[in-house]
Amino acid sequence: MKLAYWMYAGPAHIGTLRVASSFKNVHAIMHAPLGDDYFNVMRSMLERERDFTPVTASIVDRHVLARGSQEKVVDNITRKDKEERPDLIVLTPTCTSSILQEDLQNFVDRASITSNSDVILADVNHYRVNELQAADRTLEQVIRYYLEKARRQGTLDQSITKEPSANIIGIFTLGFHNQHDYRELKRLLQDLNIKINKVIPEGGSVKDLQDLPKAWFNLVPYREVGLMTAIYLEKNFGMPYVSITPMGIVDIAECIRQIQKHVNNLVSNEKFNYEPYIDQQTRFVSQAAWFSRSIDCQNLTGKKAVVFGDATHAASITKILAREMGIRVSCTGTYCKHDAEWFKEQVQGFCDEILITDDHTKVGDMIARIEPSAIFGTQMERHIGKRLDIPCGVISSPVHIQNFPLGYRPFLGYEGTNQIADLVYNSFTLGMEDHLLEIFGGHDTKEVITKSLSTDTDLTWNYESQLELNKIPGFVRGKIKRNTEKFARQNNVTNITVDIMYAAKEALSA
Amino acid sequence: MSNKISETLTFECETGNYHTFCPISCVAWLYQKIEDSFFLVVGTKTCGYFLQNALGVMIFAEPRYAMAELEEGDISAQLNDYEELKRLCLQIKKDRNPSVIIWIGTCTTEIIKMDLEGMAPKLENELGIPIVVARANGLDYAFTQGEDTVLAAMAHRCPQQILLKNKKKIIQDSSIQNFFSFLSSEKKEERTNKDLEKLKKNPPLVLFGSLPSTVASQLSLELKRQSVQISGWLPSQRYTDLPSLGDQVYVCGVNPFLSRTATTLMRRRKCKLIGAPFPIGPDGTRAWIEKICSVFGIKTEGLEKREEQIWENLKDYLDLIRGKSVFFMGDNLLEISLARFLIRCGMIVYEIGIPYLDKRYQAAELLFLQETCKNMSIPMPRIVEKPDNYNQIQRMRELQPDLAITGMAHANPLEARGINTKWSVEFTFAQIHGFTNARDVLELVTRPLRRNNNLENLGWSDLTKKEKK
């Protein structure tokens, strides 16, 4: 047992559901007790989804506990098959159902006989993998299922497209700025004259998965999800993949050079040369290279920062801060413990120390000890920052609704470099401004405002009403006090009791 | 119109495929209510993830709750539960020193049959801190019923009412009996003396249900106006102040989802339950007070006028909702009382979805609902227990209600299809009890309607792509 009230990565089934509900016309059925369908709330609220989340639960209740699910799961699958006619139904076990040790594969086999949809059982162990690992696995499982099916049916066409083309793997729902990153990647590939073959799982149809091998190569922008799929495709179809995250000027260039290498391997006569493009973009389209030379950024030299997040974002941001902006990264870390080796290798030489943990109190203690000028982390670090009065830029999941902005905010590609530069710069200046305010005694407007609002009064609050007033949350207390006193004056009451308070509320809200 | 009205309420039961919060969410409001408590949820990552996301920013305020996250070793019994729980509880004691630790059992502890009730007394002895066990799991309960399981467990911890054995008390008691049999014809004389007498005669009354302290004191005040003294609340602000219970104590619920607590109070603590409608809406509040007073043989004063005045204050909102229709998808058990109040406000209720309906505990409320429908000449709504969300959405497509009261999972998709929604959870967290807060309920109900008054003419109420046939 572990004492905890915060976790960075969610339970495994969340990863599976994120992948399943990202595909078009795929339905997930959770084998779960009442209340475990919280995923629907997150997707509906955070992503502001207009459509019903294609996830339902086959409820595990007291009866199931006593007699087993029996027909229930099969019935629920066939019912969903009739109602929604999905292409694929993914039966998703949860941590509760996995200890029941029912033979879910058997349900899947039975249900697939009667239903028109394909039915698979998500193959994840809830006590060994987290949300991200599960998402990676499920994606690979779905791809494998459809490619093998196509191969069996003889519909698999392995010839590659005429023009250079790519699959983008790993864009999906509830991912940190994934929608914006996707747009930016599309633009990048377009600039390089590379067609996009398929994007999975977001918005993709499982019927089209057999076309995946037509692309020249695969692009896996995020470390956490998609790598297993890319490796599978490389092994079985000889497709090369690029897994360098195009985040930050140096890594974008590196990523493009890799793409060039793969593309040139497959063309015969004229070779592609992206160097002029990289040079043009770096010096004039992205403002980040110029920003690093500007006086603003000079002032950031040697300032201390702490970075924490998922492996992809924490590693990239660390490299950007240290290599591209001259900021001193005192500590960088990730909660992706399963990928610690890769992470350490990436940030080697760019930071003073490395922290691999999924315990937020350790991260908090580290930040308190280092006292950086700015933090780049998740929502948790933002709150740690609030408590310690250190500004924080959010660079990775887990996130709140404000990290699903409506405006265009990619982290990848050349526009991404601009966004990151803004984020970094704004975090530091805010900190600086705060600091200066403290030295010069702060803005002096506060006191004037309260003075004009406070009323030196003829009114007295008796003991009970004062107690009652103190129970009211701070941010509305002043308003309630003023309203009550106004009401008391209008009614010629000088002694304010609890009765008067409520009477005032009733009268004024009318 | 009138021929449409069926005389009785119809009850249906569907598949139970509906969205609601897990009952462990009760820690969110209970830890704030019981100031010296600590809630330990014994469960998995899934439970933790739910709490973390559902409670949002509260997480960051160093809350007095935590997960005892079960790992593979706990599930396969390679680790000793007792030793593990002891280690965690010792740490909690050291860090927070609470007056009580409440263990919330979850689905997982049920399935692996972890004997929390058996371990608690042993550990309680060793630790010197009371440990209360509540099984608020998704296998058996929905959302607000979590509070019910906690309060039912806590009812066992309330001290025993000390029996007053002096003669005077016995005489008083018999005079209460008299009150019941011959209703007060001769009592009208000697008012002032009587008022004093009444206060004395008032047998102990304990209200159960967790309410924000301001709402609790508002309700206490309303009763005090009718010379009814409240001797305690379950739960109290502090665990150490739990009210005394015993066979002379009257109890009354303030929330519709507390049926287990009511049963425990009656059967185990021998209390007398006052079955009343719940004090939600001015009509409910008045009926609630009247019922309590009638049990104590007290004639209410000025209640009618007070209710009228509250309705008067609500006029602007009533104009907005009169004649509009509403559909409750059902997820928090407040639905019957809210529907009854909204019908009294002039709304038409198509369907009342509800996770679980205890017809005995809610008897007075159901009766009141029926009467209200008759008085307002509105067809009786269908009550659907354990609803099926998919079917409900089909029905809603047909009925096109003006407002759907629904969980967060369906709110945005329904809005995109042009159906106004109000999140049902807000009713659990907002202050909705008593006369004073009637306006707050309508504030919530009318918000989508008021918002849409502003947006109506823009021409983009349906925001979905055409669905393929």
Side-chain angles (χ1 to χ4, degrees), chain A residues 215-278:
Chain A
W216 289 29
F217 68 97
N218 292 316
L219 177 59
V220 183
Y222 309 110
R223 178 81 194 160
E224 286 74 23
V225 179
L227 218 48
M228 273 180 82
T229 308
I231 291 168
Y232 165 78
L233 290 171
E234 185 185 44
K235 225 187 230 162
N236 289 272
F237 298 90
M239 295 179 75
Y241 66 89
V242 178
S243 65
I244 294 173
T245 304
M247 198 188 309
I249 288 175
V250 179
D251 279 354
I252 296 174
E254 200 49 43
C255 177
I256 294 176
R257 287 188 189 111
Q258 283 251 353
I259 292 175
Q260 180 181 314
K261 198 182 85 193
H262 292 314
V263 172
N264 283 340
N265 275 344
L266 290 172
V267 286
S268 42
N269 35 14
E270 47 161 336
K271 298 281 179 192
F272 285 83
N273 180 11
Y274 296 136
E275 287 304 331
Y277 174 76
I278 295 173

Side-chain angles (χ1 to χ4, degrees), chain A residues 1-11 13-14 25 33-38 40-42 44-45 48-53 57-62 65 76 79-80 83-84 94-96 99-100 125-128 130-131 358 379-380 383 387 398 400 468 471-472 498-499 502 505-507 509-510, chain B residues 16-22 40 44-46 48-50 52-54 59-60 62-63 66-72 74-75 84-85 87-88 91 107-108 110-111 114 138-142 213-214 217-218 221 225 306 310 313 388 390-391 393 408-410 412-414 416-417 423 436-437 439-440 463:
Chain A
M1 268 178 226
K2 205 167 76 179
L3 197 61
Y5 62 90
W6 170 267
M7 65 186 83
Y8 284 101
H13 71 270
I14 298 285
N25 216 21
L34 195 65
D36 269 6
D37 58 352
Y38 192 72
N40 296 30
V41 175
M42 291 179 61
S44 170
M45 299 306 299
R48 300 183 190 88
E49 258 298 328
R50 298 164 195 231
D51 288 318
F52 292 101
T53 304
S58 173
I59 305 277
V60 174
D61 57 15
R62 203 39 81 171
L65 218 56
N76 276 316
R79 179 185 159 186
K80 212 26 89 180
E83 284 169 357
E84 311 258 345
T94 57
C95 56
T96 312
I99 28 179
L100 285 175
N125 181 326
H126 279 76
Y127 292 91
R128 299 205 179 146
N130 66 22
E131 171 184 357
D358 54 4
Q379 278 296 333
M380 192 57 191
H383 284 270
R387 194 173 298 167
H400 286 174
E468 195 63 26
K471 281 186 206 158
I472 290 160
V498 179
D499 278 299
Y502 296 144
K505 189 189 171 200
E506 282 162 25
S509 59
Chain B
N17 275 325
Y18 62 100
H19 164 76
T20 181
F21 273 11
C22 176
L40 184 68
T44 59
K45 247 180 157 30
T46 306
Y49 198 64
F50 163 69
Q52 161 174 336
N53 284 295
I59 293 280
F60 301 104
E62 295 232 352
M67 291 289 308
E69 194 184 308
L70 301 169
E71 290 164 303
E72 205 169 10
D74 298 300
I75 303 296
E84 291 293 299
L85 278 170
R87 181 171 59 81
L88 300 192
Q91 198 184 329
C107 306
T108 312
E110 288 295 308
I111 294 172
M114 191 182 276
L139 294 169
D140 302 305
Y141 306 109
S213 62
T214 42
S217 54
Q218 282 162 8
L221 203 67
R225 285 200 185 130
R306 180 140 171 76
I310 298 289
N313 285 351
D388 184 296
Y390 183 85
N391 297 344
I393 287 163
M408 291 195 266
H410 299 300
N412 269 338
L414 285 173
R417 281 156 187 76
W423 291 343
T436 319
N437 298 309
R439 200 175 169 81
D440 294 33
L463 289 162

Side-chain angles (χ1 to χ4, degrees), chain B residues 147-148 151 208-210 253-263 361:
Chain B
E147 175 180 323
D148 194 21
L151 296 191
F208 58 95
S210 162
V254 297
N255 269 324
F257 45 76
L258 298 171
S259 60
R260 279 178 69 90
T261 311
T263 315
Y361 177 63

Side-chain angles (χ1 to χ4, degrees), chain B residues 16 42 67 76-77 92 106 119 122 136 145 158 191 199 236 238 253 267 314 330 358 364 370-372 414 460:
Chain B
V42 188
M67 291 289 308
S76 53
I92 292 165
T106 60
M119 287 187 281
K122 261 191 266 170
Q145 287 181 290
C158 295
R191 273 236 85 89
L199 269 182
S236 45
R238 301 182 64 80
R267 298 220 180 120
L314 299 177
D358 184 334
Q370 221 166 329
E371 279 168 16
T372 307
L414 285 173
W460 53 69

